């Protein structure tokens, strides 16, 4: 009994899951093959049931767990809550109606009255830097704007304005009776599309302004008095005395009796009369200063460093169109907003096609030396999504390159096709589980990176399985041309080590991607999860689908099909299943197995299953030219004319098709011989120069560390999304860096909001923020005079510190809603503080305080329900993209200090011991600081976790601490070298670079793992270090070369993308592949030769 238990224990210890899988694949290849295809296909079809939206915005690139993001979501969730709960009254409350009176007439928002979308168009010269202000180019700009207005359906989406004379008409107000809103013709007379905010649209206004100035001068007693009158007019609209004097003198020189000539004078000549830098005031009262149309150098009079000898000159010009909601058939701009948004975007495709590169307008602009750029709400997001999806097409090229690499490596079409099928199926299967595990329908464009990277990694595993199958054939049959099928035991013996090596490399790659889970940025975290799932899925398919295909290819599909049918029949008839053979008493030797397609089976028709090669008994066929004789014995095939055949051993002579016999024998022999020469030379080189190689590696680590310590800086601005020549990227550069534009980043100060509950919010949906958590002490604002005065004191504290807050100069009032109410009421003493205040606020907000109406968040009907929160809007001169992190942090700290002062002011107005209401401030620009802090945190944690996990995996796989230390040292030098190279190229450390670093660790160790396992397993027992290094290189160097080439080829396709993030990551992966491959072959092998087991 003890002996039996001991034997059973040894048997259990010898069992391996890989051995079990290998035998299942070998015995039932067709079943495994079909399941490995049908299950992924079914999951791919199931994926169609999920809603998927591509997120190309930057709002999701924020650290959600940082205080900046939490406050931002809290305030935005309250604003969203207010829009859904506040019921606005229209006009003053009506007196009670008689009981028998008809119900009140419902009101709707006037048609297309709420500006909701915009189209900005920028015109610059081609090439950039020329002068836009020529008559020919201005004429073409006017033509472009006419074409936009002429697009079919423009009137159905444009912002409809109302003449001043009709504003008091009931049907022309913001809220109109629902029954009259959609009448045709409109009930409001004179409604028409608001003209474009364009130099061309206001040309008539400019000319009238000149005529009025000349008329003012001509009415004076003399020329001097006329110039003085014009100076006074110009100073009144904001010209400084020097500018006013210069323009008055220019007009006087033209004569005061030529007013009519200004109506016909070319626009460029009119603009030449305006002094440099005089266009920074809105003296036309159009909502923008005239300088808004021009680049900042023309508008402000500053020099751009270019020649100014051509008179009036501007390097760029811009204009804008407004489009509005609600559309016909919708009550308000919020009524089924997603439907209205979809309709607008569908219609906008008409003019975006016309404005696209190579389109009708672009072709005309090229003739006059212009480039027309465009951006806008909705259309920019759609254009960015189209560009991202267009980049995904480069995946096709990556697949083509990898297919070529696999075919060149395997020289078998069947092997190559099935390897590519397995790689292809891994992506939808992984995405199914990724999408099923996530409640979010939004998918970041970063996930596009996964196919490019994983194609190469999947190719590496396929090549390793090819090598294992060929090695099994060599072990069993003495040849590796893929025609023969090795025995089950030999197949399992080669399958298991390959599976273990692939498990180690798949785990290290999955851990490297998965370490991004520590990032606070949702798209980066999601990328890590999806990539890790894809690596695991690809590993499972390489273990099942690919070896099953290899067995089928060697066994023959007909044999495999007949075996599968026999098994089915055995199961249904309860007879069991036994693979059939032609001769039960004398089973064929391993070398005597071949597929039907390779044999002349016309002499003896086999019955199925494995077949014994038949002896040739003569040449009686008519088509002997197609067949050749081949000798067979227990050790494999041989030529019948050799001495071994003449010895009369246990041999047979069979006939096979000539093209099957030796078509690749010479090529295979040549490739093997050349490979052996190369690997032998490599082994000798590494062994003889191991100390020089190690010294070079140490020197590289020291130099790289010095470069990194000296030059590494954290990115001050977000990375560009697209290449700089793309429409969206170019117009962003012009709007931020070329035009005279103030930034209007909204800082919201909120009272009554204590926090946010995100449990029901989609972290990847930029429009979901969660549910607000209300502040208990603020609830007393509805009836407590002290709390009301405390909130007013907090607003006064903000106003008192306005000089430190970098407010946008033209943003206007810095009042909060309560300050404005007190001002309009005549002062603090004129306000009825206490329970009557909320209703008084509501009445005021419907009349004088309409601009502050949306800052009051009511639980229901305004004035008669609880006031849940109050917000105050301030605007700072910062931009989410172009402002540096240092500027943002300085302004943020100033706002935090003001909020602290506001809390102190509230506490001073409350009775001692009373709880102080919560006041918080939030701005989307602050999220940039959270991203920077997340980058620093992830850069410390993720590489360390990845390196530790990879080291542990290496140790478990090789069971050697020496090998593990050598591999970790090699990886460290590879990562340091790559970081130093990136820093030397001027890269700053941002989100993209953080992602690259986490990938470097996992991708660098793969080659070391393969070499390490070959070092442990391939050399004979008792071999020394040199012999082990040579054996490892002879066994793995060809495979690693093919793997590195395929990975570099697939990742190189990223360099052709227009998404700049993908280009950077592609360049990093290609370079790291070359560095990791070279260091593994040379440095790691040298370390093994010097210190290995």
């Amino acid at each position: 009994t003890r002996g039996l238990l001991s034997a059973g224990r040894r048997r259990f210890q010898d069992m391996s899951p890989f051995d079990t899988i290998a035998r299942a694949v070998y015995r039932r290849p067709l079943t495994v093959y079909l399941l490995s295809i049908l299950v992924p296909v079914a999951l791919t079809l199931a994926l169609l049931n999920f809603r998927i939206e591509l997120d190309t915005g930057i709002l999701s690139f924020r650290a959600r767990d940082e205080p900046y993001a939490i406050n931002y979501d809290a305030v935005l969730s309250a604003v969203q809550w207010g829009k859904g709960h506040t019921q606005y009254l229209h006009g003053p409350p009506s007196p009670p109606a008689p009981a028998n009176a008809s119900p009140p007439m419902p009101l709707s928002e006037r048609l297309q009255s709420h500006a909701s979308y915009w189209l900005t168009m920028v015109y610059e010269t081609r090439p950039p830097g020329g002068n836009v202000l020529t008559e020919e180019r201005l004429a073409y700009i006017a033509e472009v704007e006419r074409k936009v207005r002429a697009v079919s359906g423009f009137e159905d989406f444009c912002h409809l304005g109302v003449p001043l004379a009709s504003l008091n008409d009931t049907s022309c107000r913001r809220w109109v009776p629902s029954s009259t809103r959609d009448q045709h013709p409109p009930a409001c007379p004179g409604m028409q599309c608001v003209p474009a905010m364009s130099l061309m649209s206001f040309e008539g206004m400019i000319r009238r302004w000149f005529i009025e100035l000349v008329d003012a001068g001509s009415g004076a007693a003399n020329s001097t008095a006329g110039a003085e009158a014009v100076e006074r007019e110009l100073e009144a609209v904001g010209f400084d005395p020097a500018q006013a004097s210069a323009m008055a003198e220019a007009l006087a020189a033209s004569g005061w009796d030529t007013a009519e000539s200004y109506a016909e004078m070319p626009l460029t000549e009119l603009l030449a009369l305006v002094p440099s830098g005089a266009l920074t005031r809105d003296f036309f009262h159009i909502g923008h200063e005239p300088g808004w149309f021009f680049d900042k150098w023309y508008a402000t009079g500053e020099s751009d460093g270019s020649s100014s000898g051509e008179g009036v000159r501007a390097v760029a010009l811009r204009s804008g169109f407004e489009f509005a909601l609600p559309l016909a058939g919708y009550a308000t701009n919020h009524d089924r907003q997603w439907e209205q948004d979809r309709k607008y975007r569908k219609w906008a495709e008409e003019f975006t096609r016309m404005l696209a590169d190579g389109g009708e307008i672009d072709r005309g602009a090229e003739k006059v030396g212009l480039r027309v750029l465009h951006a806008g709400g909705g259309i920019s997001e759609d254009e960015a999504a189209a560009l991202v999806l267009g980049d995904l097409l480069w995946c096709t090229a990556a697949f083509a390159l990898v297919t070529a690499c696999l075919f060149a490596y395997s020289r078998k079409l069947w092997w190559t096709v099935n390897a590519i099928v397995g790689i292809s199926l891994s992506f939808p299967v992984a995405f199914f589980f990724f999408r099923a595990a996530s409640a979010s329908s939004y998918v970041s464009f970063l996930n596009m990176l996964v196919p490019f990277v994983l194609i190469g990694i999947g190719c590496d595993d396929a090549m390793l399985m090819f090598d294992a199958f060929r090695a099994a054939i060599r072990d069993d049959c003495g040849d590796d041309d893929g025609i023969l099928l090795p025995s089950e035991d030999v197949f399992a013996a080669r399958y298991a080590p390959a599976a273990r090596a692939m498990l180690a490399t798949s785990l290290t790659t999955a851990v490297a991607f998965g370490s991004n889970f520590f990032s606070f940025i949702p798209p980066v975290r999601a990328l890590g999860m999806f990539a890790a799932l894809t690596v695991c899925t690809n590993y499972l398919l390489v273990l099942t689908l690919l070896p099953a295909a290899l067995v089928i290819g060697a066994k023959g599909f007909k044999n495999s099909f007949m075996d599968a049918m026999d098994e089915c029949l055995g199961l249904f008839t309860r007879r069991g299943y036994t693979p059939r053979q032609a001769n039960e008493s004398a089973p064929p030797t391993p070398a005597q197995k071949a597929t039907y397609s390779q044999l002349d089976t016309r002499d003896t028709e086999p019955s199925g299953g494995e077949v014994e090669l038949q002896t040739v008994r003569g040449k009686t066929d008519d088509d002997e030219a197609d067949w050749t004789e081949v000798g067979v014995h227990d050790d494999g095939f041989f030529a019948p004319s050799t001495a071994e055949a003449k010895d009369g051993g246990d041999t047979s002579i069979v006939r096979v098709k000539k093209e099957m016999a030796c078509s690749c024998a010479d090529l295979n022999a040549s490739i093997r011989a050349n490979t052996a020469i190369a690997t032998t030379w490599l082994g000798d080189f590494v062994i003889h120069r191991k100390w020089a190689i190690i010294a070079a590696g140490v020197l590289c680590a020291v130099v790289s560390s010095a470069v990194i310590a000296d030059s590494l800086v954290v990115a001050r601005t977000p990375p560009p999304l697209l290449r700089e020549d793309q429409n969206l990227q170019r117009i962003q550069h012009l709007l931020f860096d070329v035009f005279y534009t103030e930034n209007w980043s909204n800082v919201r100060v909120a009272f009554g909001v204590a926090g946010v509950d995100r449990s029901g919010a989609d972290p990847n949906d930029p429009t979901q923020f969660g549910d607000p958590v209300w502040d208990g002490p603020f609830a007393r604002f509805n009836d407590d005079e002290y709390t009301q005065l405390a909130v007013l004191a907090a607003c006064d504290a903000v106003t008192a510190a306005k000089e430190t807050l970098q407010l946008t100069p033209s943003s206007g009032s810095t009042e909060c809603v309560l300050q404005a109410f007190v001002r309009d009421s005549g002062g603090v003493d004129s306000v009825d503080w206490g329970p009557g205040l909320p209703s008084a606020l509501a009445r005021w907000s419907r009349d004088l305080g309409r601009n502050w109406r949306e800052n009051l968040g009511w639980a229901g009907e305004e004035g008669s329900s609880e006031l849940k929160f109050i917000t105050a809007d301030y605007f700072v001169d910062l931009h989410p993209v172009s402002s540096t992190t240092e500027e943002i942090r300085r302004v943020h700290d100033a706002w935090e200090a003001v909020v602290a002062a506001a809390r102190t002011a509230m506490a001073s107005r409350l009775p001692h011991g009373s709880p102080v209401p919560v006041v918080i401030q939030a701005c989307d620009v602050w999220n940039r600081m959270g991203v920077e802090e997340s980058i620093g945190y992830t850069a410390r944690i993720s590489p360390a976790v990845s390196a530790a996990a990879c080291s542990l995996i290496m140790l478990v796989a090789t069971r050697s601490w020496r090998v593990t230390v050598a591999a970790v040292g090699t990886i460290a030098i590879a990562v340091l070298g790559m970081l130093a190279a990136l820093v030397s190229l001027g890269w700053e450390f941002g989100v993209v670079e953080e992602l690259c670093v986490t990938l470097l660790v996992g991708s660098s160790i793969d080659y070391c793992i393969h070499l390490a396992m070959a070092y442990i397993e391939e050399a004979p027992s008792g071999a020394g270090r040199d012999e082990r290094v040579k054996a490892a290189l002879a066994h793995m160097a060809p495979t690693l070369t093919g793997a590195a080439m395929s990975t570099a080829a697939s990742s190189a396709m990223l360099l052709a993308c227009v998404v700049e993030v993908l280009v950077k990551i592609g360049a990093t992966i290609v370079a790291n592949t070359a560095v990791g491959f070279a260091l593994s072959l040379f440095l790691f092998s040298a370390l093994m030769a010097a210190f290995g087991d």
Side-chain angles (χ1 to χ4, degrees), residues 378-390:
I379 60 175
S380 291
E381 289 85 348
D382 291 345
E383 183 177 342
L387 290 173
V388 170
L389 293 175

Side-chain angles (χ1 to χ4, degrees), residues 639-914:
S641 59
T642 63
E644 188 177 359
K646 296 175 183 178
D647 289 341
D650 185 11
T651 65
S652 300
I653 305 297
V654 301
R655 291 191 295 167
V656 298
K657 285 283 188 180
K658 283 182 177 179
E659 64 267 21
M660 296 292 182
C662 302
S663 58
C664 295
D666 294 338
L667 177 61
N668 291 343
S670 175
I671 292 175
R672 283 197 296 269
N674 291 330
T675 301
I677 293 172
T679 54
T680 300
W681 174 87
L682 178 61
D684 291 336
F685 178 86
V686 169
I687 291 167
H688 293 147
R689 295 171 174 79
K690 56 179 176 288
W691 296 113
I693 295 173
I694 293 171
V698 173
L699 179 62
C700 174
V702 172
V703 173
S704 298
S705 300
V707 171
I708 294 169
D710 181 64
S711 305
L712 182 64
V713 294
V714 176
R716 302 173 64 201
T717 58
L721 174 63
L722 305 171
R723 290 182 183 270
E724 62 179 13
D725 61 336
Q726 290 296 311
N727 167 69
L728 291 178
Q729 198 64 44
R730 181 63 184 169
I731 196 172
Q732 176 179 295
H733 161 68
L734 292 173
L735 291 176
F736 296 160
D737 301 330
V738 173
F739 282 95
Y740 177 75
T741 305
E742 293 178 331
N743 296 303
W744 290 64
S745 291
N746 186 195
V747 177
R748 282 190 168 104
V749 176
F751 302 90
V753 184
V756 61
D757 176 11
R758 293 169 165 170
S759 58
D762 179 354
N764 298 316
D765 185 347
T767 64
Q768 291 189 21
F769 306 100
D771 298 318
V773 176
W774 304 117
D775 176 36
F778 179 81
R780 293 181 302 161
F781 182 91
N782 290 275
D783 52 20
D784 180 57
E785 175 182 354
Y786 293 105
T787 303
Q788 295 163 358
L789 290 171
V791 172
L792 178 63
C795 291
D796 290 339
V798 175
T799 303
K802 64 181 180 180
E803 299 300 327
T804 67
L805 301 179
Q806 197 168 319
L807 299 174
T808 303
S810 57
S811 60
S813 173
T814 57
E815 294 176 313
C816 76
V817 57
L818 203 54
Q819 288 173 304
F821 169 73
V822 169
R823 182 201 65 217
D824 289 345
S825 300
V828 175
D829 296 335
S830 302
V831 175
D832 183 17
W833 301 99
L837 181 67
S839 58
L841 266 176
R843 289 192 300 272
W844 168 80
S845 69
R846 292 194 297 270
D847 187 13
L848 295 176
R850 184 168 291 271
N851 290 337
W852 283 271
R853 198 176 192 184
E854 294 185 357
N855 294 112
L856 300 171
W858 304 92
E861 185 176 293
E862 59 179 345
S864 59
S865 62
E866 182 183 5
L867 184 63
K868 302 292 290 186
F869 68 92
I870 293 176
T871 61
D873 291 315
Y874 304 93
F875 297 93
V876 293
D877 194 10
L878 292 173
H879 194 276
V881 175
S882 60
S883 296
T884 65
T885 306
E886 291 80 0
E887 294 173 335
I888 294 172
R889 190 173 298 279
R890 184 178 65 253
V891 178
H892 168 267
D893 292 345
W895 275 97
E896 282 294 285
V898 165
V899 168
R903 293 193 189 102
T904 302
M906 283 195 294
S908 66
R909 299 302 299 266
L910 292 170
H912 181 69
S914 298

Side-chain angles (χ1 to χ4, degrees), residues 946-970:
S946 183
C950 290
S951 301
L952 180 61
I953 293 167
M954 173 70 85
L955 183 60
V956 172
T958 63
R959 300 179 297 280
S960 169
W961 67 268
R962 291 173 179 264
V963 174
T964 302
V965 171
V968 170
T970 304

Side-chain angles (χ1 to χ4, degrees), residues 432-688:
F432 170 81
F433 290 108
F434 172 77
R435 181 62 185 86
S438 172
S440 173
S441 63
Y442 283 83
V443 179
S444 172
F445 72 91
L446 269 187
N447 284 359
M448 278 183 48
L449 172 70
V450 175
F452 290 93
V453 177
L454 271 299
I455 288 171
I457 293 175
C459 182
D460 301 351
D461 291 346
M463 288 179 177
L464 198 63
M465 186 58 72
F466 291 167
D467 285 347
F469 194 75
R470 278 192 170 125
I473 295 173
R474 284 196 302 271
D475 293 345
D476 204 22
C477 309
D479 201 347
D480 67 345
D481 60 3
I483 294 175
L484 299 177
L485 178 66
S487 67
E488 180 178 322
D489 290 337
V490 175
F491 173 78
R494 283 291 182 178
Y495 177 96
R500 285 197 298 271
M502 287 187 290
L503 175 62
T505 57
S506 297
L507 284 176
T508 56
T509 305
V511 167
F513 278 108
S515 64
N516 287 300
F517 179 78
F518 295 100
S519 175
F520 297 145
I521 303 172
V524 175
R525 189 183 303 168
L527 168 66
M529 294 173 60
F530 176 46
L533 282 173
T534 306
V535 171
C536 297
T537 305
N538 177 76
Y539 174 67
L540 293 177
L541 289 175
V542 170
L543 289 189
T544 52
L545 186 150
L546 185 56
L550 299 181
V551 173
I552 291 172
K555 197 175 189 180
F557 183 81
K558 184 176 180 181
N559 266 355
S560 303
F561 179 75
M562 294 301 295
D563 281 350
M565 293 302 297
D566 282 348
E567 182 175 10
C568 290
L569 290 173
L571 290 174
F572 283 113
T573 59
R574 299 183 180 180
R575 292 182 304 175
Y577 163 64
T578 303
R580 294 179 297 169
Q581 297 175 344
N583 186 345
E584 296 281 350
S585 60
T589 62
Q592 291 173 321
K593 300 170 186 175
T595 62
Y596 291 113
S597 63
Q598 297 162 339
L599 298 174
D600 178 8
T601 60
R602 287 171 292 180
D603 292 340
T604 302
E605 183 67 22
S607 58
E610 296 172 339
V611 61
E612 184 177 358
L613 302 178
Q614 302 299 316
T615 303
V616 177
R617 295 186 176 84
K619 299 181 179 180
T620 59
D621 296 321
D622 297 331
D623 55 347
E624 293 301 326
D626 295 335
W627 296 80
T628 187
E629 294 181 353
V630 176
V632 179
H633 58 53
D634 287 349
D635 295 328
F637 287 138
F638 64 91
S641 59
T642 63
E644 188 177 359
K646 296 175 183 178
D647 289 341
D650 185 11
T651 65
S652 300
I653 305 297
V654 301
R655 291 191 295 167
V656 298
K657 285 283 188 180
K658 283 182 177 179
E659 64 267 21
M660 296 292 182
C662 302
S663 58
C664 295
D666 294 338
L667 177 61
N668 291 343
S670 175
I671 292 175
R672 283 197 296 269
N674 291 330
T675 301
I677 293 172
T679 54
T680 300
W681 174 87
L682 178 61
D684 291 336
F685 178 86
V686 169
I687 291 167
H688 293 147

Side-chain angles (χ1 to χ4, degrees), residues 996-1011:
C996 290
V997 170
T998 59
L999 298 182
L1000 293 180
V1001 177
S1003 58
S1004 298
I1005 200 173
D1006 289 356
Y1007 305 116
C1008 291
I1009 287 178
H1010 289 308
L1011 274 178

Side-chain angles (χ1 to χ4, degrees), residues 2 17 74 76 133 137 187 208 216 242 277 281-282 307 369 415 526 652 716 785 886 889 1000 1010 1017:
R2 191 181 302 112
L76 267 292
L133 298 179
R137 288 168 177 168
R208 285 195 300 273
R281 295 289 186 276
D282 183 14
S307 173
W415 292 16
S652 300
R716 302 173 64 201
E785 175 182 354
E886 291 80 0
R889 190 173 298 279
L1000 293 180
H1010 289 308
E1017 297 176 356

